[in-house]
Amino acid sequence: FVIFLYDKDNQGYNVFTCSYITRQSIAERGIYMNNIENITASVQMLGGFHLTINGITISDRSSQAKKPWSILEYLITFHNREIACSELIDLIWSSKESANPNGALKTLMFRSRKLLEPFGLPTHQLIIQKNGTYAWNPEIRLTVDTDQFEELCKQSKADSLTREQRLELLMEALDLYKGDFLPKSSWEAWALPISTFYHSMYLQAAHTAIDLLLDQADWTRIIGLCQRALAVEPFDEDFH
């Protein structure tokens, strides 16, 4: 059976294929669509891409093609704005032309939405389209590790902090840093400056934390932190 449910916000239909249908299943679909704003998604971008909703996680570690993941990662990275189709076309096909770029983008967006199917939610409600733009649905609350990492680093610089408070914030930030920003996309033109930004922020936080630990002669934590930092930046002699 094929079900067509009209989405009044995006002025379009969501299509669901089922082996059987009940009134309850239709009602459940309607609940998901009406309460999409009650969903919170957790995003990891440091060390790899992971998106978690309702305890279900998808990851770019899968063997699927890279381009659909790139679109998804880009939309979530810039989740605070609507992104023009032309921008996405330039992002994916900047080095070569496509005979039908708009059609190619629609096909690629379909594949990106397919990545979201494990969540059991209407994928057109996760990635929305309107007025020639695509966007991650702003009604879905996002908890993003890069935002948390940056905020903790910022808080650690407050003049009013004691050395112990500063160290606690820095260690919490460093624990969030599982690796560089989107390592599978790190050499793409849009991702490289972001990766460099967080990499530099990590090194600064690590150096500051080590200085504070040296004052405490906490050699065990210093050794552990240096080992982790070397995995991120093996050419920094201060970590050796």
Side-chain angles (χ1 to χ4, degrees), residues 125-162:
Q125 290 290 297
L126 301 177
I127 297 176
I128 59 176
Q129 178 186 17
K130 61 178 179 179
N131 300 326
T133 67
Y134 286 97
W136 180 259
N137 193 328
E139 294 182 351
I140 301 173
R141 294 185 297 274
L142 286 178
T143 301
V144 187
D145 61 347
T146 51
D147 294 340
Q148 295 172 311
F149 173 73
E150 187 173 355
E151 179 61 25
L152 287 167
C153 289
K154 179 180 178 181
Q155 291 177 13
S156 72
K157 297 179 180 180
D159 294 334
S160 59
L161 295 175
T162 65

Side-chain angles (χ1 to χ4, degrees), residues 188-205:
E188 294 190 21
W190 70 270
L192 181 57
I194 302 174
S195 179
T196 301
F197 172 77
Y198 288 119
H199 186 92
S200 299
M201 186 176 293
Y202 172 84
L203 294 181
Q204 183 180 8

Side-chain angles (χ1 to χ4, degrees), residues 68-132:
W69 285 108
S70 294
I71 288 287
L72 179 59
E73 291 165 1
Y74 193 82
L75 291 174
I76 291 181
T77 298
F78 301 103
H79 61 270
N80 57 346
R81 65 183 179 90
E82 297 170 352
I83 300 173
C85 291
S86 58
E87 180 177 341
L88 293 172
I89 290 171
D90 290 341
L91 171 72
I92 299 299
W93 294 283
S94 58
S95 60
K96 59 182 180 179
E97 295 183 358
S98 173
N100 181 13
N102 290 319
L105 179 61
K106 288 181 180 179
T107 299
L108 186 56
M109 194 61 65
F110 172 81
R111 294 168 62 194
S112 295
R113 285 179 168 134
K114 289 283 288 184
L115 299 174
L116 303 172
E117 288 185 347
F119 298 129
L121 300 168
T123 59
H124 282 70
Q125 290 290 297
L126 301 177
I127 297 176
I128 59 176
Q129 178 186 17
K130 61 178 179 179
N131 300 326

Side-chain angles (χ1 to χ4, degrees), residues 149 152-153 156-157 161-177 200-229 236 238-239:
F149 173 73
L152 287 167
C153 289
S156 72
K157 297 179 180 180
L161 295 175
T162 65
R163 298 178 72 84
E164 290 74 16
Q165 289 172 331
R166 193 182 315 281
L167 178 59
E168 182 179 354
L169 288 168
L170 286 169
M171 295 304 292
E172 187 177 350
L174 294 170
D175 284 341
L176 281 174
Y177 202 93
S200 299
M201 186 176 293
Y202 172 84
L203 294 181
Q204 183 180 8
H207 282 298
T208 304
I210 289 172
D211 288 341
L212 293 170
L213 289 170
L214 283 170
D215 291 341
Q216 300 177 4
D218 192 338
W219 307 114
T220 299
R221 295 174 76 187
I222 290 172
I223 292 171
L225 178 52
C226 285
Q227 289 175 337
R228 288 161 48 199
D236 192 320
D238 291 337
F239 295 140

